[in-house]
Amino acid sequence: LYTEMSLSGGGGLNLHVYYNPPGGGSGPLWQGYAGHWGYDRYEHFKPIYRELHGATMLTSLSKDVAVYQDPTTLFTKHRTTFVHRLPDLARWFELLKHQGVEYEQLQPERLGEYKLVLPNLLDEVVSLETVEMLDGYVRQGGKIVISALTGRYCPETGTEPFVLLKRLGIDPPEGEYVQTGVDVKATATQSTPVLDAGESIPFYTLEKLHHDPITKSIQSRFFQWPFRWIPLTDYFGYYRDNKTTNGDVWARFGEGGVAISRHTVGKGEVLVLWGVPDYWPENLPGFMKRAAKWAGVEQKTIDNPIPLMMECQRKTGDKVERHYAVIWCGEPRFGVKPGTYRQKLPNAPDGTWFVDDMVTGRRYGWYRGDELREQGIDLTFEENNSALQVVRMVPGNPANWPDWGKRYRQLDEEE
């Protein structure tokens, strides 16, 4: 249900649901529903599907964050046009999804509107057009996060390294790009927008890329491992011996090398990672949220603990008949486990609403629209219950409801 709703929110052009009864309709109905248990669940969700069928998804048409991948690295370093490798090289972007930060592929016509642009960290070779675009965007007031590897080479400018850094006026690193070590970490030297003082983040090396696939923890979650299809090449490492930079140092490696620094470029800012971080989601919790806030991104749901949520409504004219929040709490890699979470519903309309969950039957009681938008609602996901909730808001006046409505959360007396 969650997947189908998310696809429909994107237009639903390729979403079609068919059901063919076994034996042309002559066999037992439950066999077509994957057995007795599957039949029961299917029948349970039928009314939910029917009610949501007439709902309209509420989505933000424009985003403050853009991601950008230049295919030149694929063409030159990998010497292939196998485009399916591009998403494997850009799983850094998946951290945005895991942490609930809304984003879109960079639209050149909207470049000046973005508050944060994230080039792909592993785009070691980029075109001159990319270099000029990123440089111009930052100098006009934009913010980007790159690694020292990003834009290291540009075919149009020859073999001289660190093309993007030099164009931005950032001093290139000194010392070799160290690719050994399986426990390389950087520690924040002070409290900054992306890290608290003393907080550590891991960096990734070629040695670790060799090491990880033989560990049981990686083998058991291989298809969640962000480095699973990347060839054994020299992307991963860090500038261990680069002690200084012409920007503000935000974090250092154990040996003293600069790990993260911030640089003012024209009217904008650049955050440089002097190596490639280990962007397995649990190793960089909250990093993208913090980077977005550093860039001034305005997103009402950015602090919600459960990132996988969609809101939709059923309306007659301008009147909202029902408001829904479809929420999925079933992905441990997103950092969400069973428990109680305060979730804001930024599109909740004004008025008084009785709130329940259509999946479990849980009744949350009476809320005002502004409460749900600004303070949120405590949603409980139990260990042995569904990881999906379809939170439904039904309009009404508590004083006019049957007595059973008084068993649940009530509004304050003055309301």
Side-chain angles (χ1 to χ4, degrees):
L1 186 149
Y2 186 92
T3 301
E4 290 178 1
M5 288 292 293
S6 63
L7 291 172
S8 298
L13 293 179
N14 293 314
L15 175 62
H16 305 276
V17 180
Y18 300 95
Y19 171 63
N20 295 308
S26 59
L29 189 60
W30 60 265
Q31 287 184 356
Y33 290 158
H36 288 289
W37 182 85
Y39 173 77
D40 290 343
R41 297 303 292 167
Y42 188 86
E43 291 295 315
H44 175 75
F45 277 92
K46 268 186 176 179
I48 302 176
Y49 273 114
R50 291 192 181 106
E51 185 163 335
L52 293 178
H53 192 308
T56 300
M57 299 291 293
L58 304 175
T59 59
S60 175
L61 297 179
S62 60
K63 308 293 192 297
D64 287 339
V65 179
V67 299
Y68 180 76
Q69 183 176 21
D70 187 319
T72 310
T73 294
L74 180 73
F75 303 150
T76 57
K77 186 164 186 170
H78 295 274
R79 300 180 184 179
T80 181
T81 57
F82 183 65
V83 295
H84 303 290
R85 178 158 289 164
L86 287 174
D88 293 322
L89 295 173
R91 299 198 181 279
W92 155 252
F93 298 149
E94 292 180 356
L95 283 177
L96 292 163
K97 188 184 304 180
H98 293 163
Q99 296 174 19
V101 179
E102 295 181 354
Y103 68 97
E104 66 182 23
Q105 298 292 326
L106 188 143
Q107 307 296 319
E109 66 276 10
R110 294 197 60 233
L111 183 61
E113 301 174 27
Y114 296 122
K115 296 185 176 179
L116 176 65
V117 169
L118 293 172
N120 184 33
L121 289 188
L122 301 187
D123 282 357
E124 186 176 4
V125 187
V126 302
S127 68
L128 182 59
E129 181 182 6
T130 294
V131 172
E132 292 175 344
M133 177 190 70
L134 294 175
D135 179 59
Y137 165 74
V138 173
R139 293 186 184 279
Q140 291 301 313
K143 295 186 180 182
I144 63 174
V145 179
I146 61 174
S147 73
L149 197 72
T150 310
R152 184 154 61 173
Y153 297 104
C154 175
E156 293 97 326
T157 61
T159 59
E160 191 70 21
F162 302 111
V163 177
L164 180 58
L165 286 179
K166 290 178 180 177
R167 178 62 71 96
L168 293 167
I170 299 172
D171 291 343
E174 297 181 353
E176 66 174 321
Y177 191 57
V178 179
Q179 297 178 303
T180 57
V182 294
D183 191 26
V184 178
K185 292 183 179 180
T187 303
T189 57
Q190 58 188 304
S191 290
T192 67
V194 295
L195 292 171
D196 295 328
E199 187 176 352
S200 295
I201 66 170
F203 277 68
Y204 211 69
T205 65
L206 180 60
E207 182 180 354
K208 190 164 175 59
L209 185 64
H210 278 273
H211 172 270
D212 279 354
I214 65 174
T215 63
K216 291 184 178 179
S217 61
I218 299 298
Q219 291 174 358
S220 64
R221 297 187 294 163
F222 180 78
F223 287 96
Q224 297 175 15
W225 185 42
F227 310 108
R228 56 190 177 273
W229 302 128
I230 297 180
L232 291 173
T233 186
D234 59 352
Y235 287 115
F236 304 108
Y238 67 112
Y239 285 99
R240 180 189 62 195
D241 303 318
N242 184 46
K243 308 293 185 182
T244 62
T245 184
N246 60 336
D248 301 324
V249 177
W250 282 7
R252 291 187 180 274
F253 296 114
E255 301 87 352
V258 179
I260 302 176
S261 60
R262 184 201 64 84
H263 303 258
T264 299
V265 179
K267 298 178 182 178
E269 297 177 73
V270 180
L271 199 64
V272 181
L273 305 167
W274 296 92
V276 176
D278 185 347
Y279 46 81
W280 187 288
E282 56 255 45
N283 290 334
L284 291 177
F287 182 88
M288 287 299 192
K289 284 187 178 183
R290 297 180 186 183
K293 291 180 179 180
W294 164 69
V297 170
E298 297 176 6
Q299 180 188 326
K300 297 177 181 178
T301 60
I302 200 166
D303 288 320
N304 271 350
I306 306 175
L308 298 182
M309 180 183 77
M310 299 171 285
E311 290 182 271
C312 54
Q313 291 179 350
R314 295 183 60 173
K315 299 177 69 174
T316 299
D318 294 331
K319 181 181 179 181
V320 178
E321 296 179 341
R322 301 273 173 103
H323 185 88
Y324 307 92
V326 185
I327 304 170
W328 176 251
C329 184
E331 288 286 353
R333 61 190 170 131
F334 284 48
V336 181
K337 300 177 181 179
T340 298
Y341 299 92
R342 176 66 62 87
Q343 192 84 350
K344 293 182 180 179
L345 309 184
N347 294 298
D350 286 330
T352 56
W353 304 86
F354 188 82
V355 182
D356 68 353
D357 168 34
M358 297 174 68
V359 177
T360 63
R362 185 189 303 273
R363 294 182 171 96
Y364 288 108
W366 291 95
Y367 284 83
R368 298 190 320 273
D370 63 301
E371 282 185 283
L372 295 168
R373 293 193 303 268
E374 300 167 11
Q375 301 173 30
I377 179 173
D378 291 329
L379 302 178
T380 299
F381 292 82
E382 298 172 339
E383 182 74 40
N384 297 315
N385 214 326
S386 176
L388 175 74
Q389 289 197 26
V390 179
V391 176
R392 173 174 56 184
M393 296 167 49
V394 180
N397 183 340
N400 297 334
W401 270 50
D403 289 343
W404 65 263
K406 297 181 174 61
R407 296 174 53 190
Y408 307 101
R409 182 187 189 271
Q410 298 296 302
L411 301 175
D412 295 335
E413 287 295 328
E414 61 270 19
E415 303 172 82

